[in-house]
Every structure is written in C-alpha cells, then in structure tokens.
Amino acid sequence: MTSHNPGWFGWLLPAVPLLLFLLLQLTGSDLWLYRREAVLEGEWWRLLSAHFAHLGWPHLLLNSVGVVIAWRLFEPWWRPAIWFAALLWCSLATALALLWLSPELAWYGGFSGVLHGMFVFGAAMALIEDHDGLAGFVLLLLTAKVLWEQWFGGSDALTAELIGAAVVVDAHFYGALAGLLPVPFIHRR
C-alpha cells in the first residue's frame, strides 16, 4: 500500500463536500438543483451546485455517508490535489453528460453520480498502484451495479420512499465513466 498519512488535515478532504451539502440544504432553495431549462437559459452554476444540493435530509445523509466511505476506503490514494481534482472533474463531467446525453432529464439533485465517479477513481488508483484486492472487488461491484441500473433501472420504490424521487441511473453511469477517464493520466505522474 502507498504510504500516505494525511493526519488531521486529511479529514478536511471529505469535510468540504459535506459542508457544502449542509449549507445548500439549509438554504432550502431550488436555486441549486440542476434544471435543464435553467442551465440552457444561462444558469450555469447549477451544473456544479446540483451535486451538492439534496432532495431532503435523508438524501443528504445517504450521500454524506457515501463520501466518508469513499474517502476512508481509499484514503492512502487521496492526496488533497487529487481529491479535489477528481471531485471537480466528476462533478463537471457528470453534469455535462446529463446535459448533452440525457436531454429528457428535466432536473437532478444529489451527489450520487459524483460519488460513483469518486469510488471508481479511488478503486482504480488503488488497484493500479498497489494491486489492492478490495479495490478490484469494489470496481467489479460498481460495474455490475451500473450495468444493472442501465438495463433494469434503479431501485425506485426504496428511493422514492427514502428521498422522494427516482434514481437518475444515467448520473451513476456518467459519474462512473468520469471517474475512470483520468486514471491513466494521474497514474503516470
């Protein structure tokens, strides 16, 4: 395993998205969600803010737990610059893919697409750099999950009950692809 001990500073990495989740949730505003028509009319900030805005406290809690797990599971491979670059890349790539490749999607909110990208990126780096077996297993599970969702859809009944909306499986797919794309370039450094 790559030696990297971020100490207390390391907790700032997942704290940044978690604080953004909280701040946007406290505003209670629709201003932060991805709304296709609003983006096309010039409200470009929604491409990023949508990932940090949630449909309610249960939704925020689920994504917060996911952020902590993604960070903790692959902590040895998350250096601050890499964490924030992956976070920004997965956010932008997922949002732009939703805009260009899913024109039927009117609105979106939540971090799950970015989270899929962060898990894929962290697992791919761990697998490549240290041949980490857990990372390979995580990649296999995520691949199976994303493909299942693409063919059969998400778990709408559970999600609708918990967060009040259906899963946007395209966000998971685009996020996972976004997480995989920069790996060869980062690995060469």
Side-chain angles (χ1 to χ4, degrees), residues 5-23:
N5 182 2
W8 69 270
F9 181 75
W11 279 101
L12 290 178
L13 300 181
V16 170
L18 298 177
L19 286 172
L20 285 172
F21 292 174
L22 184 60
L23 288 172

Side-chain angles (χ1 to χ4, degrees), residues 55 58-59 62 155-167:
L55 307 179
H59 189 209
L62 282 173
S155 55
D156 292 336
L158 173 64
T159 305
E161 183 71 31
L162 199 56
I163 65 172
V167 172

Side-chain angles (χ1 to χ4, degrees), residues 126-169:
L127 186 62
I128 289 169
E129 290 185 6
D130 293 330
H131 308 290
D132 186 278
L134 176 61
F137 184 66
V138 168
L139 280 174
L140 183 65
L141 283 179
L142 276 171
T143 301
K145 177 190 180 293
V146 168
L147 291 176
W148 178 274
E149 288 176 340
Q150 288 299 301
W151 284 320
F152 301 110
S155 55
D156 292 336
L158 173 64
T159 305
E161 183 71 31
L162 199 56
I163 65 172
V167 172
V168 178
V169 296

Side-chain angles (χ1 to χ4, degrees), residues 23-85:
L23 288 172
L24 295 187
Q25 186 68 25
L26 290 173
T27 69
S29 175
D30 177 60
L31 185 62
W32 311 117
L33 295 174
Y34 169 89
R35 299 245 179 237
R36 181 178 175 75
E37 290 305 315
V39 170
L40 293 175
E41 292 171 4
E43 296 181 9
W44 293 95
W45 68 85
R46 291 175 182 266
L47 291 172
L48 283 179
S49 66
H51 300 295
F52 300 92
H54 290 84
L55 307 179
W57 291 102
H59 189 209
L60 183 145
L61 181 62
L62 282 173
N63 281 321
S64 296
V65 168
V67 167
V68 171
I69 291 171
W71 172 73
R72 202 58 194 128
L73 195 57
F74 303 112
E75 180 185 1
W77 298 275
W78 291 126
R79 285 155 190 84
I82 291 176
W83 171 266
F84 289 116

